[in-house]
Structures are given as C-alpha cells and as structure tokens.
Amino acid sequence: MPMYQPNTNRRGGIMKLDVGSGGQVLDLETAVKDGILGGTGGGLISTANTEKLDLKKMIEELESMEVPSVFICPISLDPMQDPVTLCTGQTYERSNILKWFSFGHCTCPTTMQELWDDTVTPNRTLQQLIYSWFSQKYLAMKKRSEDVQGRAIELLETLKKIKGQARIQALKELRQVVAGHATTKKTVLDNGGVALVSNLLGPLTTHAVGSEVIGILVNLNLDFTSKANLLQPAKISLMVDMLNEGSIETKINCTRLIEMLIQGKEFESENVSSLSLAVGLLRLVKDKRHANGILAGLGLLKILCSHESCRNSIVSIGAIPQLVELLPSLNNESLELALHILEVLSTVPAGSIALKDCVRTIPNVVKLLMKVSESCTHLALSILWAVCQLAPEECAALAVEAGLAAKLLLVIQSGCDPVLKQRSAELLKLCSLNYASTIFISKCKLTKTIQ
C-alpha cells in the first residue's frame, strides 16, 4: 500500500506543519499568510460567501491541479474532505482510516506505531484550510473560464466586421482560446461560431486564414449540418491543398478534420478520394520527425482504403513500397494501422502485385510475426499469404530464407486463435511444397523431433 508521509505535529491544539527546506515549523494560518500553501496573504481565506460550494465537486474539477502535500491522505493519496487525527499525530481521511481499522489493524498506517488510543479526532483547522484553498482555486478557475468565454464571444462578433491581417489575428486568438479552454467550445457552438468560421473557407481563402479556421474546427464537436457544409468540394479542396503545402501543425489538423467529416459515412466526393489527398497523407506519414502526423495520416489512409473505389488509386501512387519501408520504424499503434492498410490493399490485384514486387515486403513482414500483438500477426499472415499464393515458387523460397517457417511453427504451438493457427499451417504447407523435404528441414533448421 503506497504511503505518503507528511510531517505533522500538534502542540497546544494547533496544527503544526513542517514546511520549507530550512525545517521551519509553522501553524496553518501563518502558512497561508506567507503564501506557502497558496494563500494570498492576510490569514485564512474567508469562506463566508462560498459556503454553498461543494468540496467534493471542487476536488473533482481541480483534479489536475497540484495540491499541497499536507492536504493528501497518506492512505489513498487523494485530497482529504473529512480529516481526522490519531493519537500519533498523523492525519487521515476519516473513511480511509476507519476502513484500515475494520481490517483489524491497531496501528498507525504511516508510522506503524501501536495505538494507545483508537479515538479519531476531527481536524477542523485542517478541514477549514482545505476548504478555503480549494474554494480560492475553484473560484479563480471559474472566473478565468467566464473571462475566456466572454472573450470568445467578443472574437466571434469581431470576425463579422474585420478582414485582412486583423481577421487572421482574431482567428489565431480564437483558436488558442478554444484549444486551451474546454468551456469555450460550447460557447463557440452556442453562438453560431461553427457556421461563422466555416463560411471563411472557400476557393479564394488564403492558407493563413484557412489554417487558423481548421485549427478551430478540429477542436469542436461538429453536428451533421456543419459536417455537410464542410464537405463541399471547394472547402475540401482547400483542406487538401493545405495538407500538401502547410506547416506540420496545419497538415495534422487538416488530416484530423477530414477524418472527422468522413468517418462512419459513405462518401463519393472526388476531392475526398483524390490522388492529391493520398499523396499528401503519404508525405505526412513519411515524415518520421512527427509521430502525431504519422498516426493521423495512417488513420485517414485506413478510412480511405475501406472504400474499394480508393484502393487502386492509393496503390497507383506507390503507397505499398513506401509503407513497407516504414514498418521497422513504426510504434505499435502506427504499425497496426500500416499493416491493416497493406492487408486491405492486398485484396486488389494491383496491390498484391505491388507487395510481391517490393523486395522488403517479405523480410519486413516476417519479422513482425509474434512480435507485437495477435492482431498484427493475423494481418502479417494475410499479407504473406497473398504474396506467396501469387508466386509460390519465388516467394516461398524468399520467405523461408527470411525465417518464416520457424515463426509459423511458433504460431502453431502458441495459444493463439485457432483461425490464426490454421492459416499458419496452410502457409507452412505452401512453402514446403517448393522444397524437397530434407532441404526444407535444413532451411528451417528443424530438428528430427519436430520433423
């Protein structure tokens, strides 16, 4: 059980805190007055006007904020709402220490001292400080939230009246406000912000304006009407242009926005299924400096490949050899997406031929068997099956040289899905048909026992 051990002492009924590197011991009020626990000076913060605030709610909403260690229960490591102090001077959340006692323990969890008195004393001073501290932070957060919401509304009104560089600056600030404050997203939605900024996208829109607009839209929950509006050819065409020519941030935002617009629905727009889009996505995926870009690009490529009409186009721009070359450098999440794309592309004749003709397909894919996940192994086997079935004599030999047989035996002997084992057995048989048995055993480095 993890234990946090704040140094606390009681003397004369006053809670004492060991704070600061100099070992100075202060009472709670002094700590607040001096700003050590986040106070603003002047002693304990008055809660006269904040008595209706719910401490539990404040703790939940301020979850990501760093809390003074003296407010933390050593048992749960969560802020205390009802602190009680034991005879040893250690303080805990009431429910946690009572649960400790219910297990039959008669010791202090932090010091492991035997308790000579099992009384738990409410620590009202600490409770008041906890409530005051959270009230102050909560009210400050609410004020900041109201301020940014008001600023978002002002910016939306300003955008109706201005053009040129002033418009770009207003859009930039609105993008920062929306990205940095969750509460402003609803404000923008409720005040017609989506329609307002979406209408700024068009054939004559500059990339400077377009990148800011897309940076705003990608952070909002768009309804059906908004998505239909953004799927207009002129707007999609602008997004595709910026995907090919914009900054890395703009490229990622364009990719994510297009994915938001087409995910889960049929699309026939020539712009969405254009070669230019696929080319832009491949460029994004090949930029190894930006993992987020790789993941975003592969995610949208996967959606495009789910539509049969797009597969031949994606193959035609050389996607298969480029993705195969990337396989060894991808993280697990991106790797599964890339294998899924290659497996889907292998279902069209041009895709299986491209996989066969790529010299790195077999060695790179064989290495992934039983290495990442069962899902990746399944996808890798499907790719290898498509390649070896297309040209058994040529590909089986290459696969065996790359160590495929040993990997397939490992799959067969593992606790994998039966379908996976069956596919492995079929692929192993396909490879063995192109060798004399003794040569095959030698190539696979199999023992007589395995034979």
Side-chain angles (χ1 to χ4, degrees):
M1 180 183 299
M3 294 292 173
Y4 183 87
Q5 300 185 32
N7 294 316
T8 60
N9 303 282
R10 291 190 65 86
R11 187 173 64 209
I14 299 176
M15 183 74 175
K16 295 287 184 178
L17 308 176
D18 185 1
V19 295
S21 57
Q24 183 182 10
V25 179
L26 304 173
D27 62 75
L28 289 176
E29 188 164 349
T30 304
V32 175
K33 181 178 67 176
D34 292 346
I36 295 172
L37 292 180
T40 56
L44 288 172
I45 304 163
S46 172
T47 58
N49 298 322
T50 60
E51 292 178 356
K52 294 183 179 179
L53 292 176
D54 180 74
L55 179 57
K56 182 179 180 181
K57 178 184 176 182
M58 291 191 290
I59 290 174
E60 289 173 353
E61 294 197 23
L62 295 169
E63 183 180 10
S64 60
M65 184 171 290
E66 186 175 351
V67 178
S69 59
V70 72
F71 297 166
I72 302 296
C73 174
I75 296 176
S76 66
L77 301 182
D78 292 325
M80 292 181 283
Q81 300 178 48
D82 185 10
V84 294
T85 302
L86 302 185
C87 59
T88 59
Q90 301 297 326
T91 302
Y92 303 91
E93 173 65 27
R94 181 187 294 273
S95 60
N96 294 334
I97 192 62
L98 292 182
K99 186 175 181 180
W100 170 264
F101 291 156
S102 72
F103 291 149
H105 299 297
C106 296
T107 56
C108 173
T110 299
T111 64
M112 297 310 294
Q113 288 178 270
E114 289 284 343
L115 297 177
W116 57 91
D117 183 351
D118 61 2
T119 303
V120 294
T121 304
N123 196 325
R124 302 301 184 198
T125 306
L126 181 58
Q127 186 179 41
Q128 181 192 4
L129 182 60
I130 292 171
Y131 185 87
S132 298
W133 189 89
F134 275 100
S135 296
Q136 180 193 36
K137 300 297 182 183
Y138 181 77
L139 293 173
M141 180 194 73
K142 295 292 283 185
K143 185 177 186 304
R144 287 195 302 271
S145 176
E146 291 168 0
D147 289 345
V148 295
Q149 289 178 52
R151 183 56 182 155
I153 294 173
E154 289 177 7
L155 289 168
L156 290 175
E157 290 300 317
T158 301
L159 285 171
K160 297 176 183 179
K161 309 169 188 175
I162 59 175
K163 294 182 180 180
Q165 190 62 33
R167 172 181 284 176
I168 295 173
Q169 290 302 319
L171 286 169
K172 187 186 295 291
E173 185 177 349
L174 182 60
R175 175 174 60 83
Q176 293 169 346
V177 167
V178 169
H181 304 275
T183 55
T184 60
K185 297 179 182 181
K186 187 174 185 304
T187 301
V188 172
L189 292 171
D190 292 345
N191 287 272
V194 174
L196 177 61
V197 298
S198 295
N199 288 335
L200 298 178
L201 296 178
L204 300 179
T205 304
T206 65
H207 284 194
V209 170
S211 63
E212 298 300 338
V213 169
I214 289 168
I216 293 167
L217 294 173
V218 78
N219 282 291
L220 301 176
N221 294 320
L222 305 177
D223 59 21
F224 177 82
T225 303
S226 300
K227 289 182 179 180
N229 177 38
L230 288 166
L231 279 170
Q232 293 177 29
K235 298 182 190 300
I236 288 292
S237 180
L238 177 64
M239 294 180 208
V240 172
D241 286 345
M242 289 191 292
L243 169 60
N244 280 279
E245 301 174 11
S247 66
I248 185 63
E249 182 182 10
T250 298
K251 290 179 179 180
I252 294 173
N253 284 338
C254 287
T255 301
R256 288 175 174 166
L257 182 57
I258 294 173
E259 181 175 345
M260 286 169 58
L261 298 178
I262 68 175
Q263 195 168 33
K265 65 178 291 183
E266 293 295 328
F267 61 89
E268 298 180 359
S269 168
E270 293 181 0
N271 291 293
V272 172
S273 58
S274 68
L275 290 178
S276 183
L277 173 58
V279 168
L281 291 175
L282 281 175
R283 287 175 180 165
L284 183 60
V285 167
K286 288 167 61 180
D287 190 344
K288 298 179 183 180
R289 297 170 299 172
H290 306 282
N292 289 341
I294 295 173
L295 190 61
L298 289 172
L300 184 50
L301 274 175
K302 178 183 175 182
I303 294 175
L304 294 179
C305 287
S306 67
H307 297 266
E308 291 184 24
S309 60
C310 297
R311 293 173 192 170
N312 282 314
S313 297
I314 294 173
V315 173
S316 71
I317 61 173
I320 284 179
Q322 294 181 58
L323 291 175
V324 168
E325 288 294 331
L326 282 172
L327 291 178
S329 64
L330 298 177
N331 61 35
N332 290 355
E333 188 176 8
S334 295
L335 183 61
E336 188 160 339
L337 286 172
L339 287 174
H340 181 93
I341 294 166
L342 291 172
E343 194 265 344
V344 171
L345 294 179
S346 73
T347 61
V348 298
S352 57
I353 292 172
L355 281 165
K356 178 186 77 69
D357 292 343
C358 178
V359 296
R360 299 304 305 166
T361 295
I362 289 176
N364 282 0
V365 175
V366 166
K367 289 178 182 178
L368 299 176
L369 292 173
M370 297 297 288
K371 186 177 180 181
V372 181
S373 66
E374 189 169 310
S375 175
C376 283
T377 297
H378 181 82
L379 293 168
L381 279 176
S382 295
I383 294 167
L384 291 168
W385 177 260
V387 172
C388 292
Q389 198 175 36
L390 186 64
E393 294 183 7
E394 175 187 352
C395 295
L398 291 172
V400 171
E401 292 289 347
L404 175 63
K407 287 289 188 79
L408 293 177
L409 286 171
L410 185 61
V411 175
I412 293 169
Q413 296 170 14
S414 71
C416 288
D417 176 51
V419 175
L420 208 56
K421 293 184 178 183
Q422 180 63 30
R423 175 54 62 88
S424 298
E426 292 171 356
L427 189 53
L428 189 62
K429 182 178 179 181
L430 180 66
C431 291
S432 68
L433 290 176
N434 294 280
Y435 287 91
S437 59
T438 53
I439 297 175
F440 183 66
I441 292 170
S442 174
K443 289 283 185 183
C444 300
K445 299 179 181 179
L446 304 177
T447 63
K448 292 182 179 180
T449 304
I450 294 178
Q451 181 191 11

